[in-house]
């Protein structure tokens, strides 16, 4: 990945498939922004169309799940968000993070990354260290329509000092590919292409087509895990993902289901 390659709307559009260009309604690239997700949530409230996309070279208030900061230095990673509108109720979008996660893991595998794992509900790991994360935010009427903003943070080539404030083991795509050259713009185009296709498919078919795609990266299945729920810790054996995207956990009290957003998952 070239150190000097800045994001470019023309190159990204050129890298999209014909179907991807049809799905893309608007493409913005900012040198600096508070958060690509925050920006698109504001734009959605103002009527922005489905298929609006925002990328940034740097975020000053990047966000992960549960209010965590997402470290976002200039020009070395990918920070992008996609707005997608649905006629569905917000509750029907609970499995979208798994659909997007499976699609993103497949993109990275195609790019040459092996040893990938998905950690429920929305982390992508390489050799046990965080490579990418997703932040999905939903708003809408209780019975629909609704809109979803999908945020992707993908570490490309941060040096250790830039990641000093990250509170968990992390890695970069450059490490995972052993320094293999990779264009940020071509990678961004591929991610947009496949994630917009996944969001469209989720709207028409739900989570079912993505479950097996997710499971091939679910390296914790069958292993002992701990669920952190606030101050509570629940221990059990990871029993996979349910049809609704819930985490299934075998505990001494039997099998229990946990919904996205309720817990953090840690290997025991």
């Amino acid at each position: 990945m070239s150190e000097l390659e800045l994001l470019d709307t023309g190159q990204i559009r050129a890298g999209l498939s014909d179907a991807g260009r049809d799905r893309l309604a608007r493409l913005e690239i900012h040198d600096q922004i508070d958060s690509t997700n925050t920006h698109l949530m504001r734009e959605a409230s103002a009527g922005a169309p489905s298929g609006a996309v925002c990328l940034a070279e740097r975020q000053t208030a990047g966000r992960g799940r549960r209010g965590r900061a997402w470290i976002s230095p200039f020009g070395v990673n990918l920070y992008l968000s996609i707005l997608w509108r649905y006629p569905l109720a917000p509750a029907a979008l609970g499995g979208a993070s798994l659909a997007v996660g499976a699609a993103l893991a497949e993109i990275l595998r195609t790019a040459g990354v092996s040893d990938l794992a998905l950690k429920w509900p929305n982390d992508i790991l390489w050799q046990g260290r965080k490579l990418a994360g997703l932040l999905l935010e939903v708003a809408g009427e209780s019975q629909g329509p609704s809109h979803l903003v999908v945020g992707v943070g993908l570490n490309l080539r941060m040096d250790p000092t830039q990641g000093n404030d990250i509170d968990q083991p992390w890695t970069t795509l450059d490490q995972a590919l052993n320094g293999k050259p990779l264009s940020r713009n071509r990678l961004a185009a591929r991610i947009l292409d496949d994630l917009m296709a996944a969001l469209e498919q989720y709207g028409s078919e739900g989570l079912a087509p993505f479950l097996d795609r997710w499971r091939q990266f679910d390296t914790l299945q069958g292993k002992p895990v701990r669920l952190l729920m606030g101050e509570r810790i629940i221990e059990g054996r990871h029993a996979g993902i349910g049809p609704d995207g819930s985490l299934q956990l075998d505990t001494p009290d039997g099998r229990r289901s946990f919904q996205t957003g309720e817990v953090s998952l840690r290997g025991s």
Side-chain angles (χ1 to χ4, degrees):
M1 287 170 280
S2 168
E3 291 292 333
L4 299 176
E5 185 192 16
L6 297 179
L7 296 171
D8 179 83
T9 56
Q11 290 187 51
I12 292 174
R13 286 182 183 275
L16 294 173
S17 65
D18 290 342
R21 282 189 283 271
D22 288 342
R23 293 184 183 106
L24 180 69
R26 191 167 81 194
L27 176 60
E28 302 176 24
I29 297 175
H30 298 263
D31 282 345
Q32 178 172 298
I33 202 169
D34 52 354
S35 155
T36 58
N37 257 44
T38 299
H39 175 72
L40 277 191
M41 288 295 285
R42 289 191 297 256
E43 292 293 293
S45 297
S50 186
V53 169
C54 175
L55 296 96
E57 294 287 2
R58 177 175 182 262
Q59 296 181 116
T60 59
R63 295 181 290 119
R65 284 182 69 232
R66 304 176 73 186
R68 296 188 181 95
W70 188 269
I71 307 303
S72 308
F74 185 91
V76 295
N77 297 324
L78 279 180
Y79 322 113
L80 66 88
S81 297
I82 304 169
L83 167 63
W84 209 261
R85 294 188 180 274
Y86 294 97
L88 308 170
L93 303 182
S97 65
L98 275 69
V100 172
L104 183 56
E106 289 171 344
I107 294 165
L108 295 174
R109 183 176 61 188
T110 300
V113 183
S114 57
D115 298 323
L116 283 167
L118 284 167
K119 191 184 80 170
W120 183 91
N122 57 1
D123 286 347
I124 296 180
L125 309 180
W126 179 70
Q127 297 187 352
R129 292 173 288 165
K130 190 163 182 175
L131 175 62
L134 304 171
L135 177 64
L136 280 75
E137 297 182 283
V138 180
E141 303 297 326
S142 60
Q143 301 303 314
S146 57
H147 61 265
L148 172 68
V149 172
V150 176
V152 177
L154 174 59
N155 298 331
L156 297 187
R157 54 171 181 268
M158 275 196 301
D159 66 48
T161 61
Q162 291 174 311
N164 279 340
D165 294 330
I166 300 176
D167 62 357
Q168 60 186 294
W170 60 276
T171 189
T172 66
L173 190 58
D174 194 52
Q175 287 181 308
L177 293 175
N178 198 27
K180 170 187 171 184
L182 190 66
S183 162
R184 289 175 80 213
N185 286 295
R186 283 197 294 271
L187 181 60
R190 176 66 190 276
I191 290 172
L192 292 177
D193 234 355
D194 288 11
L195 295 197
M196 288 190 295
L199 292 170
E200 184 174 84
Q201 184 179 12
Y202 185 90
S204 58
E205 301 178 48
L207 182 58
F210 298 95
L211 288 172
D212 285 342
R213 295 166 63 181
W214 165 275
R215 289 171 181 142
Q216 63 183 315
F217 297 102
D218 188 1
T219 59
L220 284 176
Q221 184 161 349
K223 296 181 180 178
V225 297
R226 294 178 299 127
L227 298 184
L228 311 180
M229 301 180 63
E231 298 300 315
R232 295 177 61 204
I233 298 176
I234 301 173
E235 295 187 345
R237 192 168 295 276
H238 182 12
I241 303 300
D244 61 351
S246 61
L247 178 73
Q248 308 294 298
L249 187 67
D250 286 335
T251 73
D253 300 321
R255 182 162 293 184
R256 299 178 60 184
S257 297
F258 299 87
Q259 295 294 332
T260 299
E262 293 180 354
V263 298
S264 292
L265 181 61
R266 299 286 188 268
S268 291

